[in-house]
Amino acid sequence: MLARKIADSTVRRLAIYLRFLEEFEHQGAGTVSSEALAARAGTTSAQVRKDLSFFGSFGKRGLGYDVHALAVQLRTILGLTRRYHVILVGAGRLAGALVQYAEFGARGFDIVAAVDRDPAKIGTRWGDLVIGNVADLEKIVQREQIEIAILVAPADAAQALVDRLVSAGVSAILNFAPVQLHVPHGMDVKNVNLAVELETLSYALQHRGST
Amino acid sequence: MLARKIADSTVRRLAIYLRFLEEFEHQGAGTVSSEALAARAGTTSAQVRKDLSFFGSFGKRGLGYDVHALAVQLRTILGLTRRYHVILVGAGRLAGALVQYAEFGARGFDIVAAVDRDPAKIGTRWGDLVIGNVADLEKIVQREQIEIAILVAPADAAQALVDRLVSAGVSAILNFAPVQLHVPHGMDVKNVNLAVELETLSYALQHRGST
């Protein structure tokens, strides 16, 4: 119950700490300070200690955190001790880029299916992946035991696709379509809007003169 | 000074409110309640009121916010009353997807240049855009009056490219390379890590059983 109330921003920081811990591990470091983690993650050491203490992990004063033990703990918290089957709903250019995104596989997210409504795309291949017909969405979700869908479909098609994904038993959706999706309670949706990311920069540029 | 201290998460919510305000405006709505904005943005009405009061905008009790006036105000706050020249550093598949991302242009972000180090890509076209040689990065930044760079280069090349972008006078970077960039004070960097987005979902799936 507690765990579900943790803010999205905290979970994102945990994921970032894990990346640096793995890098430190790779370099042979046995321990790491909250200051070093903070510097790499662009936050404060107080925030690092707060984030980690929330999960019951405490560094030793003067010694810091055990790199390996903390990495194991974060992987467990983040649900990264197993693999997930992922479907790409939409097979446009962004989907084509995501298929090649090596970090997904490295983190346990296997893109095992892709579908589109365009007859010119259906049946074509991206490496081992054959693009399926969106008409077969439910069948593919069940056959491939899909848990996570990445929605890279046009805005006008998004909600209907989500309704079908929910019915088919998909548990979580990463949504790139620029619309607010309506989903039943208990379904997890994460929206990615790349224009919003650019707007955090235009905001910063706009207010630079005032500092 | 105040404005620079606003959390990134607040700026992101403002950008999302703006999207819905524009949609309401398009539908001919004159006013909107904080509850309606909250429902669309997936937050609480208290949060909406807090976010907007921070910028001196107050709804009228029983009437809500003036849709048009609030949209104008948010565009001003977010720095969206003018256009920005953007360069894509790296011309791989993700860059190819971003070039086609219509919302960038709609929001005032014009991708006016792209560069790569691959001789097979240099000189080829994406629509009107001719892919340039990364060796000419500084020249292109100056000629095209670039303010924002989108870094979609391999991790091992990222820091050296950022150092060159900083020297060439770029003010802000949207970084897709999975590395922590080191930049001088006053330079704005926003990191996008799509695997981290998926990890917020695996976290949710992992903790679903415990609710």
Side-chain angles (χ1 to χ4, degrees):
Chain A
M1 193 68 182
L2 174 72
R4 286 306 298 270
K5 289 191 180 165
I6 290 162
D8 199 55
S9 52
T10 307
V11 176
R12 294 164 65 94
R13 279 196 303 273
L14 296 179
I16 291 165
Y17 299 152
L18 175 58
R19 281 164 171 70
F20 296 130
L21 286 167
E22 288 174 342
E23 202 182 293
F24 292 133
E25 204 171 11
H26 189 72
Q27 292 164 1
T31 58
V32 66
S33 66
S34 52
E35 287 76 14
L37 272 179
R40 298 299 295 276
T43 184
T44 64
S45 55
Q47 184 71 63
V48 170
R49 285 192 297 269
K50 187 179 165 198
D51 289 342
L52 298 179
S53 68
F54 200 49
F55 293 95
S57 186
F58 302 94
K60 290 193 184 108
R61 189 166 293 274
L63 283 175
Y65 296 94
D66 181 295
V67 169
H68 176 71
L70 187 54
V72 168
Q73 195 182 10
L74 288 182
R75 272 192 290 268
T76 304
I77 289 165
L78 292 169
L80 299 177
T81 53
R82 67 179 191 85
R83 305 193 71 81
Y84 297 87
H85 285 188
V86 179
I87 188 170
L88 284 167
V89 181
R93 280 193 183 224
L94 182 56
L98 295 177
V99 158
Q100 292 210 323
Y101 198 66
E103 211 178 336
F104 286 165
R107 289 276 147 201
F109 302 100
D110 296 317
I111 297 175
V112 296
V115 293
D116 204 281
R117 63 182 175 188
D118 179 357
K121 285 181 187 155
I122 296 166
T124 63
R125 285 174 165 276
W126 280 336
D128 290 341
L129 208 61
V130 180
I131 297 171
N133 189 333
V134 71
D136 300 324
L137 181 61
E138 291 80 358
K139 215 183 329 181
I140 294 167
V141 164
Q142 279 145 34
R143 187 184 68 214
E144 302 290 343
Q145 303 184 283
I146 307 284
E147 289 177 277
I148 299 176
I150 301 181
L151 189 64
V152 277
D156 61 357
Q159 185 62 51
L161 288 166
V162 165
D163 294 343
R164 292 176 60 194
L165 287 165
V166 169
S167 301
V170 165
S171 307
I173 296 175
L174 186 65
N175 173 38
F176 283 86
V179 288
Q180 183 71 8
L181 300 173
H182 303 281
V183 295
H185 181 73
M187 179 83 182
D188 289 292
V189 176
K190 170 84 190 162
N191 296 299
V192 179
N193 186 315
L194 297 173
V196 167
E197 305 300 327
L198 274 181
E199 286 165 43
T200 65
L201 290 176
S202 62
Y203 169 84
L205 293 176
Q206 173 78 359
H207 295 273
R208 182 168 286 180
S210 65
T211 54
Chain B
M1 192 69 183
L2 175 71
R4 287 305 297 270
K5 289 190 179 165
I6 290 163
D8 199 55
S9 52
T10 306
V11 177
R12 295 164 64 94
R13 278 196 303 273
L14 297 179
I16 291 164
Y17 300 152
L18 176 58
R19 281 163 171 70
F20 295 130
L21 286 166
E22 289 174 341
E23 203 182 292
F24 292 134
E25 204 171 12
H26 190 71
Q27 292 164 1
T31 58
V32 65
S33 65
S34 51
E35 287 76 13
L37 271 179
R40 298 297 297 276
T43 184
T44 64
S45 55
Q47 183 71 62
V48 171
R49 285 191 297 269
K50 187 180 165 197
D51 289 342
L52 298 179
S53 68
F54 200 49
F55 293 95
S57 186
F58 301 94
K60 291 192 183 108
R61 189 166 293 274
L63 284 175
Y65 296 93
D66 182 294
V67 169
H68 176 70
L70 187 55
V72 168
Q73 195 182 9
L74 288 182
R75 272 192 290 267
T76 305
I77 290 165
L78 292 169
L80 299 178
T81 53
R82 66 181 192 85
R83 305 194 72 79
Y84 297 87
H85 285 188
V86 178
I87 188 170
L88 284 167
V89 182
R93 280 191 181 224
L94 182 55
L98 295 177
V99 159
Q100 293 211 321
Y101 197 67
E103 211 178 337
F104 286 165
R107 290 277 145 200
F109 302 101
D110 296 317
I111 298 176
V112 296
V115 294
D116 204 281
R117 64 182 174 189
D118 179 358
K121 285 180 186 155
I122 296 165
T124 63
R125 285 173 166 278
W126 281 334
D128 290 340
L129 209 62
V130 180
I131 297 170
N133 189 333
V134 72
D136 300 324
L137 181 61
E138 291 80 359
K139 216 182 328 181
I140 295 167
V141 163
Q142 280 145 33
R143 188 184 67 215
E144 302 291 342
Q145 302 184 282
I146 306 284
E147 289 178 278
I148 300 176
I150 301 181
L151 189 63
V152 276
D156 61 356
Q159 185 62 51
L161 289 167
V162 165
D163 294 343
R164 292 176 60 194
L165 288 165
V166 169
S167 300
V170 166
S171 306
I173 296 175
L174 185 65
N175 173 39
F176 283 86
V179 289
Q180 183 70 10
L181 300 174
H182 303 282
V183 296
H185 182 73
M187 179 82 183
D188 289 291
V189 176
K190 170 85 189 163
N191 296 299
V192 179
N193 187 315
L194 298 173
V196 167
E197 305 300 328
L198 274 181
E199 287 165 42
T200 64
L201 291 176
S202 63
Y203 170 82
L205 292 176
Q206 173 77 0
H207 294 274
R208 181 168 286 181
S210 63
T211 54

